[in-house]
Amino acid sequence: MCPFVGPHDRMRRSSLKLARQLMEDRMDLTRLPAAWLRDNCRCAQCRDPRNGQKLFQITDLPTDLAVGEVRAGEAAFEVEWLPDGHRSVYGTRWLASADPAEGDGGGDSGDGRTEAGKQLWCAADLDGRLPEAGWEAYLADPAERIRVLESVQRLGFALLRDVPRTERQVLAVAGTFGHVRETNYGTLFDVRVEADPNNLAFTGAAIAPHTDNPYRDPVPTLQLLHCLTNAAVGGDSGLVDGFAAASLLRAEDPAAFEVLTRTLVPFRFDDARTALRADRPLIEVDALGRIREVRFNNRSIGTLRLSREALDSFYRAYRAFGELLLRAELRLDFRLGPGDCLVFDNTRLLHARTAFAESGERHLQGCYADLDGLASTLAVLRRERPLDELAALFDGAGAEQYLGEDVTQAQHMLQAASLAEAAGAAPALVAAALLHDVGHFHGAVTGADLMAGTDNRHSHTGAEWLARWFGPEVTEPVRLHVAAKRYLCAVEPEYFGRLSEASVHTLRVQGGPMSQSEVRAFEAEAFGAEAVRLRRWDEGAKDVRVSAAADFAHYRPLLAGLLR
């Protein structure tokens, strides 16, 4: 195994530390930077509820901004700001996700582009375990597509098998996760022997590990190679994890690593129709010193014009890195067969090939794409998974009868959402109405147990389950909706008379009307008013004669916009 510390071993320390502090000490929010906390307020005054974008500029905030009164709930904190009296609500889970007091953000993998978001590897780590998938399964199964795209993000590459061996099919592969990057080579390029090549790739020569197009800025961040034919003797492919190699250089020769991160190298490409140049370091790091990009292509390095001392330092470091990249234990060799399509990160992995006999037929087609498109597709696919899980609840367990009522569980929740929507409720409250009873499907104590006399605390169970995906603006009304029934029965005597027989029964199991001290505590809850509105829709959503205005699919876009 390679001597690398995986990013997952370095991350989440600060979030775990803050989570413990939040749960055990009811954290003093005044120790957090006021501007940061206020900048992350998600109320409708601060964020457009349709798209989540901010409605204020940083210059709109008071210069003497300070945290005033803080009310700590079970799953959220409400802050009253000084001097303007603005109110913000922050979920405990959200606060636990990042602690500005930790300083440099080193526990956060950020956009996933640096070594902090990668799994570094040597050839032995992946021997016999290539990240691969069949083309048909990749297309048909979202979970399989997620697995493949995650491999490209985490390991730097993935291999699709049995891709149709048709011309230009590589463009269709790229289209499944992003957009093709057109270059001077066109939208698509053929890798085969040419009579008058403008690049060594179009010969049978061996090619050492390199990254493509280092003379571009920005460089194409993804490359795809689709094998149509490979009957030549030789021509095997190789990959080297450039981040792993740079990490080893940093450990073995820190001075060389430092030189290669701060020396600008002129990369050039010229032919009859093209003249390209980009001056970039061989190893690029971010502001925290984390490896973010490797550019290495000896065929494209132009003439460096530096002092004698700087040139000596650079060439010593350049040679050290070049020798390290040629270590046999770093290079993963395999053969692309007809129908194989390799997708890899061109800012991280160096690719190579062995020489092949030009008399044998070898034809690959390639194109370039970009990591941001792949990351976006992956994020959307991941975002759809909880919605698929929720949809399955409505179609499955939701089809069962609802705790002694005449409607099914799904009909009840859809009716509640429909009532909330008709009342002009905010999207988060519509979502809470739609999902308020999912706790009946989770946890050791079921809805049947509730009817039998054991409180299943489904409001809390549901809120905790939903908190994986939604913020307190959705989960808190869910958590409080049972308490809201007890509250209304205490402050509005006539409300009790509107309860169904089954609801009267569950009220007794859940503790009956609130005491005066419980009423005061409920009225102090940040989302108490929203929970009361939800409770009224809850009681009105049990009419078998009423059809919900829409099915679950109608609410998917609304829920997608609220996912965290």
Side-chain angles (χ1 to χ4, degrees):
M1 297 292 287
C2 292
F4 301 124
V5 177
H8 303 295
D9 298 322
R10 299 191 298 261
M11 294 166 56
R12 292 187 287 275
R13 295 180 193 134
S14 65
S15 63
L16 289 173
K17 175 183 175 182
L18 183 57
R20 286 193 295 270
Q21 188 172 2
L22 286 166
M23 301 308 292
E24 296 172 4
D25 302 333
R26 314 311 277 168
M27 188 185 74
D28 176 12
L29 296 186
T30 60
R31 78 176 184 84
L32 296 175
W36 172 83
L37 198 60
R38 179 68 174 270
D39 191 44
N40 283 284
C41 178
R42 300 190 66 87
C43 77
Q45 291 177 265
C46 294
R47 305 260 182 163
D48 188 316
R50 297 164 297 181
N51 52 46
Q53 293 186 348
K54 292 177 184 175
L55 299 173
F56 65 93
Q57 301 292 329
I58 191 65
T59 51
D60 295 330
L61 300 181
T63 56
D64 54 348
L65 187 69
V67 172
E69 181 184 356
V70 177
R71 292 193 291 181
E74 188 167 330
F77 293 85
E78 182 181 33
V79 176
E80 182 175 344
W81 290 97
L82 299 174
D84 59 357
H86 185 78
R87 291 180 179 270
S88 304
V89 177
Y90 304 96
T92 302
R93 286 177 181 244
W94 179 83
L95 284 167
S97 67
D99 185 358
E102 288 296 306
D104 63 4
D108 181 9
S109 63
D111 61 6
R113 291 284 296 276
T114 74
E115 61 182 310
K118 310 297 185 185
Q119 179 182 334
L120 308 187
W121 52 266
C122 294
D125 298 325
L126 298 177
D127 186 27
R129 298 186 295 108
L130 293 180
E132 60 182 56
W135 173 246
E136 293 300 328
Y138 169 80
L139 289 180
D141 185 357
E144 189 75 345
R145 192 176 302 185
I146 287 173
R147 187 179 66 81
V148 169
L149 300 184
E150 284 179 339
S151 293
V152 177
Q153 270 198 335
R154 189 180 71 259
L155 296 172
F157 76 105
L159 189 59
L160 290 169
R161 305 284 194 184
D162 301 318
V163 177
R165 294 166 54 196
T166 56
E167 296 272 345
R168 305 181 68 80
Q169 180 67 29
V170 69
L171 302 180
V173 177
T176 64
F177 56 74
H179 304 282
V180 172
R181 170 89 80 89
E182 187 171 359
T183 70
N184 59 297
Y185 301 108
T187 56
L188 173 145
F189 54 87
D190 291 284
V191 183
R192 58 187 170 189
V193 174
E194 294 181 358
D196 187 22
N198 69 348
N199 193 305
L200 283 179
F202 310 134
T203 71
I207 299 180
H210 66 284
T211 61
D212 267 18
N213 285 217
Y215 37 78
R216 294 185 185 280
D217 194 10
V219 68
T221 51
L222 282 177
Q223 184 170 350
L224 291 80
L225 289 172
H226 179 214
C227 181
L228 299 176
T229 305
N230 195 1
V233 176
D236 291 348
S237 299
L239 293 174
V240 175
D241 184 350
F243 282 16
S247 176
L248 284 174
L249 182 68
R250 180 174 55 198
E252 296 177 4
D253 193 341
F257 179 85
E258 172 64 20
V259 167
L260 296 187
T261 63
R262 58 179 170 81
T263 303
L264 292 178
V265 176
F267 291 101
R268 302 184 63 123
F269 177 82
D270 294 278
D271 67 9
R273 297 182 302 275
T274 309
L276 295 167
R277 172 170 172 164
D279 289 21
R280 307 291 289 185
L282 296 186
I283 302 171
E284 185 173 326
V285 297
D286 70 1
L288 300 178
R290 301 177 299 190
I291 300 163
R292 184 175 178 86
E293 185 174 301
V294 170
R295 295 194 191 207
F296 194 94
N297 191 318
N298 69 296
R299 290 171 284 142
S300 302
I301 293 181
T303 302
L304 281 78
R305 303 191 183 279
L306 304 170
S307 68
R308 172 64 182 269
E309 182 182 0
L311 287 172
D312 285 343
S313 295
F314 170 76
Y315 275 97
R316 187 191 74 78
Y318 177 28
R319 183 180 184 87
F321 194 36
E323 289 175 345
L324 196 154
L325 288 168
L326 293 177
R327 290 183 187 177
E329 65 268 22
L330 291 185
R331 177 162 163 168
L332 178 68
D333 287 307
F334 55 94
R335 186 173 180 82
L336 288 176
D340 290 342
C341 185
L342 178 66
V343 183
F344 62 95
D345 181 346
N346 185 52
T347 66
R348 174 186 174 188
L349 295 195
L350 290 79
H351 61 291
R353 73 154 188 244
T354 61
F356 64 92
E358 295 189 2
S359 58
E361 188 176 3
R362 184 181 188 271
H363 184 194
L364 310 181
Q365 284 193 326
C367 70
Y368 298 111
D370 283 302
L371 281 164
D372 57 357
L374 182 146
S376 173
T377 297
L378 181 55
V380 171
L381 286 168
R382 287 171 174 159
R383 190 170 66 192
E384 290 298 315
R385 294 187 79 176
L387 301 184
D388 290 340
E389 191 170 342
L390 289 169
L393 281 181
F394 277 74
D395 292 337
E400 299 174 3
Q401 286 303 116
Y402 169 52
L403 305 184
E405 305 287 358
D406 293 329
V407 293
T408 67
Q409 182 74 70
Q411 288 172 334
H412 168 64
M413 292 192 292
L414 287 166
Q415 282 186 27
S418 180
L419 291 171
E421 204 168 25
L429 194 51
V430 174
L434 177 70
L435 305 173
H436 72 277
D437 272 347
V438 296
H440 285 311
F441 307 126
H442 298 278
V445 185
T446 66
D449 294 319
L450 174 62
M451 295 305 293
T454 301
D455 186 5
N456 66 348
R457 290 176 57 83
H458 73 282
S459 57
H460 288 67
T461 302
E464 291 168 5
W465 188 71
L466 292 170
R468 297 180 296 167
W469 308 313
F470 299 101
E473 64 275 12
V474 174
T475 62
E476 281 296 272
V478 171
R479 182 181 68 84
L480 294 169
H481 82 275
V482 169
K485 178 172 72 170
R486 299 182 59 222
Y487 169 79
L488 285 170
C489 287
V491 300
E492 295 181 10
E494 68 277 9
Y495 181 82
F496 180 85
R498 295 198 292 270
L499 299 183
S500 67
E501 183 179 345
S503 193
V504 169
H505 169 72
T506 56
L507 174 66
R508 288 195 295 267
V509 177
Q510 292 159 341
M514 284 183 171
S515 66
Q516 285 305 304
S517 61
E518 289 175 319
V519 165
R520 288 192 295 272
F522 179 84
E523 290 175 341
E525 288 281 0
F527 287 92
E530 288 82 354
V532 166
R533 294 185 72 192
L534 170 54
R535 187 69 233 179
R536 297 188 192 278
W537 299 321
D538 187 349
E539 291 300 338
K542 302 173 182 179
D543 192 342
V544 72
R545 298 167 297 176
V546 177
S547 296
D551 59 10
F552 180 83
H554 169 77
Y555 297 103
R556 283 188 75 121
L558 179 146
L559 294 174
L562 294 165
L563 289 171
R564 294 287 179 88

